[in-house]
Amino acid sequence: MADFDTELDLFSFIPAEPVPEPPPPRQPVRRKPAHRELQQLCFGFLWSLNPDAAAMRVPARFHKYQVTAAGFWRGETGRNRSVERTAVVVLYERFEHCFADCADRDARLAAIHELRAEKEALEAEIRRTEPELGSTDDLFSDFRVWNYAASRNRDYLKLRRRLEKLQHALHQGSRLEHIRHTGVADYCYLAVPENLVAPDEIAAGWGLVYLEPGRKFRLVREAEEQAIATPEGRQLLAENIAIAASCNARFAAGLDVRKDGTVVYRRPPRKRSRLK
């Protein structure tokens, strides 16, 4: 016999609403570094090589070919230590600025990309069969590891010459090539936002530095020593570095010099307060 005194729960017949799933965690947005931040990273990379002196916005022989940063190293012995090595860093933020203006640029880049896998496979074979090519005693030994150019692998040397011809055609007449031919720098570095260009796309002999968010830089290809650098060119670059550094020091001190030589004083730029 049914128990009619039992209370009836009308809400038990209403289906429960599905519980919404929590939204996936938001990925942090990688902010694109500003131009000044990229310049600062270029200067920081150069100082990581421990030069004796360095400055920003330095003319490479001519003011027309101003580089983002430049530095030099002096000899270790003697009272009058001469400039023995120099380096420049050039910042480009757009892909097309890294090449000369040519109609068949895309076709040449595609040819370079086709040879990339073959080149990497041959370099792996060289590391296995010619371990004596590992370099440990030069100025930048922390970065330069393998001297592939000294390999006895004929296939690799032939492929390397093909790549150099393609790269030369891409960069002939470019601003990078003009800077290299000034003869003032033993080492030339191209600094770009991360992954803007590939290491095998830039001009032969140039090093490549990736500038990453969070004020980080990464050396992805070491620069080769430029045989066209001259003692006169090194000395000229060192003088230009001294002039550029003096301009920066004068600005930081709050001094302006007019054309007639009059010194004008102003309030020095304020330092940003450190974050606690």
Side-chain angles (χ1 to χ4, degrees):
M1 184 175 181
D3 187 1
F4 295 100
D5 295 333
T6 304
E7 294 184 359
L8 184 63
D9 186 2
L10 298 179
F11 295 98
S12 61
F13 296 96
I14 301 177
E17 296 182 358
V19 179
E21 296 182 0
R26 297 183 59 182
Q27 297 295 331
V29 179
R30 301 186 70 180
R31 181 182 60 85
K32 182 180 179 181
H35 178 68
R36 289 186 178 181
E37 186 176 331
L38 294 175
Q39 288 181 318
Q40 185 184 45
L41 284 172
C42 292
F43 201 40
F45 163 74
L46 183 60
W47 274 112
S48 73
L49 304 178
N50 298 315
D52 292 315
M56 297 180 65
R57 295 179 290 276
V58 180
R61 190 175 289 274
F62 309 107
H63 195 274
K64 178 181 179 180
Y65 301 125
Q66 179 175 282
V67 298
T68 307
F72 66 84
W73 291 258
R74 297 184 298 172
E76 297 296 334
T77 60
R79 293 184 177 180
N80 298 322
R81 296 188 297 173
S82 60
V83 178
E84 289 194 348
R85 294 177 185 268
T86 54
V88 297
V89 182
V90 179
L91 169 64
Y92 281 159
E93 300 180 55
R94 298 180 62 179
F95 179 78
E96 59 270 19
H97 291 170
C98 302
F99 311 98
D101 293 331
C102 54
D104 54 350
R105 183 192 67 190
D106 293 340
R108 289 171 178 168
L109 284 172
I112 290 175
H113 295 165
E114 290 179 1
L115 296 175
R116 180 182 300 171
E118 184 179 353
K119 176 174 177 287
E120 292 177 353
L122 289 174
E123 288 178 348
E125 181 180 352
I126 291 172
R127 290 193 296 270
R128 180 177 56 85
T129 58
E130 301 178 74
E132 68 277 7
L133 297 182
S135 176
T136 57
D137 57 353
D138 56 326
L139 177 63
F140 302 131
S141 59
D142 291 340
F143 302 116
R144 183 176 299 170
V145 179
W146 292 94
N147 185 13
Y148 295 112
S151 173
R152 299 182 299 273
N153 189 313
R154 294 183 178 180
D155 292 335
Y156 177 78
L157 295 178
K158 183 178 179 181
L159 183 144
R160 186 185 177 96
R161 287 192 292 269
R162 290 179 60 190
L163 282 174
E164 288 178 353
K165 288 182 180 179
L166 288 170
Q167 290 169 343
H168 179 72
L170 276 175
H171 299 279
Q172 187 177 13
S174 67
R175 186 169 177 268
L176 290 179
E177 192 68 10
H178 287 304
I179 290 174
R180 189 180 72 86
H181 277 288
T182 57
V184 301
D186 293 281
Y187 296 94
C188 301
Y189 294 92
L190 173 63
V192 298
E194 185 179 12
N195 298 323
L196 183 69
V197 295
D200 54 9
E201 293 175 343
I202 66 173
W206 279 75
L208 180 61
V209 183
Y210 281 165
L211 308 178
E212 304 172 351
R215 284 186 167 85
K216 298 179 182 179
F217 58 79
R218 179 163 51 96
L219 179 64
V220 295
R221 193 176 92 173
E222 176 55 59
E224 299 177 7
E225 187 170 0
Q226 300 293 328
I228 60 175
T230 63
E232 296 78 14
R234 297 186 189 102
Q235 185 63 36
L236 176 61
L237 184 64
E239 294 172 1
N240 289 343
I241 289 171
I243 294 172
S246 299
C247 294
N248 294 334
R250 187 178 61 194
F251 172 78
L255 299 179
D256 290 326
V257 180
R258 296 176 178 173
K259 293 183 178 180
D260 59 358
T262 304
V263 178
V264 179
Y265 298 90
R266 54 175 171 75
R267 180 177 295 179
R270 296 180 59 184
K271 294 183 179 180
R272 294 184 177 180
S273 58
R274 296 181 179 179
L275 299 176
K276 296 182 179 180

